[in-house]
Amino acid sequence: MNNVVRAISNVTLDDHVEEELAGFLRLEKPTSFFLFAGAGSGKTRSLVNALKYLAKTYRDTLRLRGRQVAVITYTNAACDEIKRRTEYDPLFVVSTIHSFAWSQIQGFNADIRVWLKDNLQREIADIQAEEEKGRPGTKASAARQAQIESKKHRLDRLTDIKTFTYNPNGDNRERNALNHSEVIRIFSAFLFAKPLMQRMFVEKFPFLLIDESQDTSRVLIDALFVVQNAHAERFCLGLIGDTMQRIYPDGKERIESSIPQSWATPEKKLNHRCPHRIVRLINQIRGAADNHKQEPRDDRPEGWVRLFVFPVDTPDKPALEKGVRDYMAGLTSDQGWTDAGECKILTLEHHMAARRMGFLQMFEALASVDDYRTSFLDGSFAPTRFFTHYVLPLVTAQQKGDKFAATKLVRESSPLLSRENLKGNEKPVSQLRAAQAAIDGLMALWANGEPTCAEIAANIAESNLFAIPDRLKAALAAQQVGPAELPGDEEADPVSDQIAALITFLDCTFSEIAPYATYVAREAPFDTHQGVKGLEFERVMVLMDDGEARGFLFGYDKLLGAKTPTAADIRNAQEGKETSVDRTRRLFYVTCSRARSSLALVAYSPDPAAVRAHVIENEWFAADEVLSELP
């Protein structure tokens, strides 16, 4: 009898949180809140229950005044799940951050035009000031001039644009389209600077709940803090998240420390997903970062965790990793481990995937730039998307002899066949011939082997087959500049890190595009923390290899004790800034917390003995849980 009681004793541990949330969601006197919800804590369930409470309590009142409840989530899949669980109730507006921001500014064409004009003029002035200080004839100068020309061209056309458009899932190449970054910045700027916009927003949405708030754009979070502070008596801002699961650099760092004292800070303590052993491990992982600890459900099994530490120069790593899976199958009596398709194989960092799949140069060029990293890794970065969504499909169709697919892509996407061009041409057939000639000219690049991305971009820029993104155009202009006239000019006036990264990317061969496209489409055999956040799997194997990742932004050996922190890490820690150990700890937490049953961690290190001693001393693992060789 005691065992039965024990088995269900703590399943209702967090039920009081649902009651607390209901108390905050009062239309007459709302209380804004930050709900801490760690891995596997059932935050989506809490969010849905909060929405159902609002519908039950205030539906008629809200509908009478044309008001709704807004929910911002991070992905389209999360939106669909919440809509499904709330039975597609029209009382709730559930959308991603970009879709929501656009819905709030759409139609304010005059205000958008004013913002764009001011922003473009400021950007042009800044670049012109840099150009005046720089050296003529350098790559940096060519890039700046290309940027100035593109921005001036857009500025000149602003007055002709009557209506602005935006597609959260598209490239937004049309001349009247806003880009993804602009939509967030414009919405945030309007909230900051327009009291009327604030009042309209609060009147429409008295409740705004944001899931994964730690990864939501910091500029929008800051703007919403301003709105909440100004309208606290009639606006409830509810943030849901966990700082340990922040994985994107444009999210708000240490968001919990920014929460106003007047806010409520409820916390979910129960982990419904992971077995006991894995919950103890993830509590240890985050112990050096904060004081949040989770409890496993009493009815979850004990589970298994093993850390395998091998030399970094191990010759046949895939074979060794198969041996690890075979070992885990025997340990757990779970034959699912022997089938790679039944295990989720995660890398802590994208660098390993890039190396193993064949897009390493491209990765090292672009992922190192903070401004590019998020969009590059989620596949929305315009310069790479140009190749993955336009060039690659066209080249693939041509090489397969699929004329229908090639023609469809060019008709839909090429400026040569745009409605504007066809209308203004007395002989549309000439445009069709120009498009075919452009395709033939592009495909001729493969006659002598695999071309570089620069050769492809230059060819397309000349033929106008597709529109070249502005940033890529600037990098292409810089890349095509020969040696500077005076020695030392390039050193005195170097290109920016952003342009330098794009130039390196352009030097890549086109062969890197297809594996990158496969990876960001999540069709690769392994995944990373970004791809699996919010998901769960019975069996998880995490691969950690500083030899393959080369300490790129992260440091597994530092986290696991094989290397000491660098001077930069120590300085950043003293200044309250993020270190590579901080970043690695978060990724480690996210990956480990995906496992529902068993977890295998494979670390390749220059000092396996140091790793073993460190993790045992810090009580992350027991001695018999750390293996340096397979039995």
Side-chain angles (χ1 to χ4, degrees), residues 512-525:
E512 297 204 21
I513 298 297
Y516 164 74
T518 298
Y519 186 63
V520 295
R522 295 184 57 200
E523 296 169 355

Side-chain angles (χ1 to χ4, degrees), residues 462-478:
E462 185 174 349
S463 70
N464 199 31
L465 178 60
F466 297 120
I468 308 284
D470 287 345
R471 280 183 288 196
L472 199 60
K473 204 180 293 182
L476 188 62

Side-chain angles (χ1 to χ4, degrees), residues 189-256:
F190 285 4
L191 287 179
F192 268 121
K194 297 180 182 292
L196 178 59
M197 181 78 167
Q198 291 185 14
R199 290 196 296 272
M200 291 172 55
F201 179 74
V202 170
E203 180 58 32
K204 179 65 177 176
F205 301 109
F207 302 100
L208 170 60
L209 308 180
I210 302 181
D211 193 14
E212 303 288 6
S213 57
Q214 74 280 350
D215 274 322
T216 302
S217 167
R218 68 174 68 90
V219 65
L220 180 56
I221 289 292
D222 288 341
L224 290 170
F225 278 163
V226 170
V227 175
Q228 190 279 330
N229 183 60
H231 302 274
E233 74 287 348
R234 61 194 192 98
F235 175 60
C236 175
L237 178 58
L239 305 182
I240 304 168
D242 174 12
T243 52
M244 185 57 70
Q245 296 188 71
R246 183 175 69 84
I247 57 177
Y248 291 106
D250 48 358
K252 188 170 178 64
E253 292 184 30
R254 300 179 176 86
I255 189 171
E256 283 183 272

Side-chain angles (χ1 to χ4, degrees), residues 47-121:
L47 175 57
V48 169
N49 286 343
L51 294 175
K52 289 180 176 179
Y53 167 80
L54 285 170
K56 178 181 177 182
T57 310
Y58 297 115
R59 179 186 300 279
D60 292 341
T61 305
L62 293 171
R63 288 178 62 187
L64 188 63
R65 298 181 60 179
R67 310 178 86 184
Q68 292 176 291
V69 177
V71 180
I72 295 177
T73 66
Y74 207 86
T75 64
N76 288 319
C79 286
D80 294 341
E81 177 65 13
I82 293 171
K83 289 177 182 177
R84 184 186 66 79
R85 292 202 202 182
T86 55
E87 300 177 341
Y88 305 94
D89 191 330
L91 181 66
F92 308 125
V93 175
V94 185
S95 52
T96 60
I97 180 174
H98 288 91
S99 295
F100 184 74
W102 173 240
S103 72
Q104 299 310 297
I105 64 174
Q106 185 176 10
F108 290 95
N109 296 299
D111 297 274
I112 292 172
R113 187 179 297 104
V114 169
W115 187 93
L116 284 172
K117 181 179 179 181
D118 178 68
N119 188 64
L120 285 167
Q121 288 175 335

Side-chain angles (χ1 to χ4, degrees), residues 276-293:
H276 290 231
R277 178 63 190 94
I278 294 176
V279 172
R280 293 197 300 273
L281 173 63
I282 61 178
N283 282 339
Q284 288 293 101
I285 291 171
R286 76 180 299 157
D290 59 38
N291 296 320
H292 292 294
K293 287 190 179 296

